[in-house]
Amino acid sequence: MKFSLALAALAGLEVTAFGRPSTGVQPRAEGTITYVDQETGFTFSEYKAAFSLSANIVFRFALPSNAPSGPYNTVIQAVVPNQLGWIGLAWGGNMVRNPLTVAYPNGQKATVSSRWATGHSTPGAYTGATYTLLNTGNKVNGSHWQFTAKCAGCTTWTGTSGSVRISPTGSSRLAFAYSTGKAASPSSNTSTIPVHDTPNYFTNDFSLGQNPNFDALLQRNGISAASDGVVFVDGPL
Ligand code: HEM
């Protein structure tokens, strides 16, 4: 019984990655759409980042409605074709001096790794952002791997030109990188990773992923407010 439920869930994953749109998909703006994830309950802004003529990495971002004026938490979800060994998301839209969310498959889940680059070489660990995997939305099937993690520290940082804060109700340019090469130690969040193929950029409209019940949804997915900054599945580094 458990096994067939798991298979059904994974089949659903494939449908949401490339198949017919689910009832939760409502196109609203060029590039970014709103996606309601039935599994986690979060409303995400979603961008399908094409890395070849026929394949996408799906990036999703859920934010709290009425985010505080300083740092605020997010939930990031990505659905990645199995041909890719790692992916990276650069919150500031370039490689250097901004939070990098790096992930690679590790058995039936993914390892999420917090990184920061000071140049065009392997990024080091970054303690300014921490990730906690939700207890749903983390899985691997025959075609894709998917992670869903809360990030504390992804939306504010000190960059090359000073303090940066992503507007929770606006659009900003992000960058992503990927490789078919695998992480050397997939269970470690400080694994070395091979250099990426050509990186690329997209503009994400964060206003399409607002959640009035953000903290309640985190709780429903196994992350209590009390665990903020205390329990980290994959960090801090
Ligand atoms: C494995 C370690 C990595 C190495 C050795 C590496 C190396 C490089 C190099 C040499 C370039 C310059 C390419 C050119 O000018 O033609 C570059 C650019 C870039 N890399 Fe990486 N990189 C690594 C990891 C990452 C990660 C994890 C990200 C996260 C998203 C990333 C994002 C980018 C982006 C967006 C660019 C475009 C130029 C820029 O924004 O600076 N890289 N990288």
Side-chain angles (χ1 to χ4, degrees):
M1 180 63 176
K2 266 193 169 166
F3 185 57
S4 53
L5 277 178
L7 279 180
L10 287 176
L13 164 64
E14 195 174 347
V15 167
T16 54
F18 288 119
R20 63 185 159 72
S22 82
T23 49
V25 178
Q26 305 154 18
R28 290 232 196 113
E30 199 183 344
T32 318
I33 61 166
T34 291
Y35 175 84
V36 179
D37 183 25
Q38 299 301 329
E39 187 181 4
T40 61
F42 278 100
T43 296
F44 291 94
S45 57
E46 172 187 285
Y47 187 86
K48 286 192 169 81
F51 65 90
S52 77
L53 287 177
S54 58
N56 301 308
I57 304 166
V58 182
F59 286 106
R60 296 182 181 135
F61 305 90
L63 275 59
S65 304
N66 304 315
S69 55
Y72 60 93
N73 295 332
T74 54
V75 171
I76 176 171
Q77 181 175 78
V79 184
V80 188
N82 282 344
Q83 74 199 88
L84 297 185
W86 68 265
I87 62 152
L89 187 273
W91 292 80
N94 52 47
M95 179 169 169
V96 175
R97 296 191 191 283
N98 66 125
L100 305 176
T101 304
V102 172
Y104 28 87
N106 174 40
Q108 287 307 299
K109 294 208 168 154
T111 298
V112 179
S113 168
S114 184
R115 310 278 178 132
W116 181 273
T118 51
H120 286 145
S121 55
T122 308
Y126 176 51
T127 55
T130 51
Y131 297 87
T132 313
L133 295 188
L134 276 55
N135 63 12
T136 55
N138 288 284
K139 53 198 172 182
V140 176
N141 73 4
S143 60
H144 294 83
W145 49 280
Q146 172 178 332
F147 70 88
T148 309
K150 180 191 120 182
C151 178
C154 285
T155 53
T156 52
W157 66 92
T158 304
T160 313
S161 323
S163 299
V164 180
R165 176 177 179 271
I166 290 181
S167 165
T169 52
S171 296
S172 42
R173 194 182 82 141
L174 308 175
F176 68 98
Y178 58 91
S179 171
T180 54
K182 293 186 187 322
S185 316
S187 63
S188 163
N189 62 4
T190 54
S191 174
T192 54
I193 48 174
V195 68
H196 45 73
D197 290 358
T198 310
N200 213 332
Y201 309 91
F202 63 94
T203 297
N204 191 73
D205 185 350
F206 289 98
S207 74
L208 299 180
Q210 302 282 311
N211 293 265
N213 49 350
F214 188 83
D215 288 338
L217 284 170
L218 281 176
Q219 276 194 4
R220 174 180 140 184
N221 290 283
I223 302 178
S224 67
S227 72
D228 264 21
V230 179
V231 177
F232 297 103
V233 176
D234 274 296
L237 296 171

